[in-house]
Amino acid sequence: MADDGDRTSASRPTIDELLALVGRGDRVAFGALYDETAPRLFGLIRRLVVDPAQAEEVTQDVYLELWQSAARFDATKGNALSWMFTLAHRRAVDRIRSAQASRDRDLRIGVRDLDVPVDTVAEAAETSVEHERVQGALGELSDLQRECVTLAYYGGLTQSEIAERLQVPLGTVKTRLRDGMIRLRTALGVTT
């Protein structure tokens, strides 16, 4: 009986031999290779990926890659099982990175789309206070500066349009705006 067991194990091809046969397109050898190695590869992938469903998908991807790339395996660089473990490890790490990138992307989108409750009363009060401060600061400008600043910021006119409307040179408008803005910053306490 012991001889029959030895003969059976001696007649079975090794993983290296099975992989070489798979490289030549042998489907039966692929099935045998799968039966021989799937529990170990799945175990490695499962430890890395954790989620059983994703580990199964990664394992399936690994065997698809093995089928497609078995011919590129070079036995002089190592044994077949080590090569298979390397493929499995790479695929598992790729899946982990992909899942993390997806979670990060979802988080960014979720935060962007999150409706933050706004205290409209406080916001209106703050806007009113700021408006009063700006009006007070505008009162400290000369009439010519205030006119240019008002036309630019409240009227939405360009410097050229202001010069045309007031019938003054463009350089004069630029100077009035610059000086007016400097005085406004000082009056409002803006430091930049």
Side-chain angles (χ1 to χ4, degrees):
M1 280 295 213
D3 283 348
D4 287 342
D6 290 343
R7 222 176 320 151
T8 305
S9 63
S11 64
R12 285 195 334 214
T14 66
I15 293 173
D16 287 62
E17 293 167 338
L18 287 172
L19 189 59
L21 292 169
V22 170
R24 292 191 288 271
D26 187 329
R27 291 174 188 239
V28 174
F30 181 74
L33 180 68
Y34 178 86
D35 291 341
E36 188 70 29
T37 60
R40 288 185 269 184
L41 289 181
F42 178 73
L44 168 69
I45 294 166
R46 177 76 167 83
R47 280 191 301 277
L48 294 170
V49 175
V50 180
D51 177 41
Q54 287 204 19
E56 289 173 4
E57 287 179 21
V58 171
T59 303
Q60 187 176 14
D61 290 344
V62 168
Y63 279 98
L64 177 61
E65 185 175 356
L66 285 170
W67 174 254
Q68 294 171 339
S69 64
R72 292 193 313 253
F73 170 68
D74 184 358
T76 63
K77 294 182 179 179
N79 70 37
L81 191 57
S82 296
W83 184 68
M84 293 170 68
F85 273 129
T86 300
L87 289 178
H89 185 268
R90 286 182 186 155
R91 282 287 180 153
V93 169
D94 286 347
R95 178 62 62 99
I96 293 165
R97 287 180 180 152
S98 174
Q100 184 62 46
S102 178
R103 281 191 298 275
D104 291 348
R105 187 174 44 254
D106 290 347
L107 181 61
R108 282 192 309 273
I109 290 170
V111 167
R112 184 192 68 205
D113 293 343
L114 180 66
D115 287 335
V116 178
V118 177
D119 185 351
T120 55
V121 173
E123 191 173 302
E126 187 176 325
T127 302
S128 176
V129 168
E130 285 299 314
H131 179 71
E132 288 174 19
R133 285 186 66 218
V134 169
Q135 290 302 315
L138 280 171
E140 294 181 23
L141 301 181
S142 73
D143 290 340
L144 296 173
Q145 290 171 342
R146 183 174 33 263
E147 183 177 35
C148 284
V149 169
T150 302
L151 288 172
Y153 291 95
Y154 291 110
L157 300 179
T158 66
Q159 293 174 345
S160 299
E161 292 170 336
I162 295 169
E164 193 176 303
R165 181 177 285 185
L166 299 179
Q167 296 180 349
V168 296
L170 180 59
T172 303
V173 170
K174 289 181 179 186
T175 300
R176 289 177 186 171
L177 282 171
R178 186 197 69 225
D179 293 346
M181 292 307 295
I182 290 170
R183 288 184 70 185
L184 276 176
R185 282 190 196 113
T186 302
L188 294 171
V190 177
T191 56
T192 52

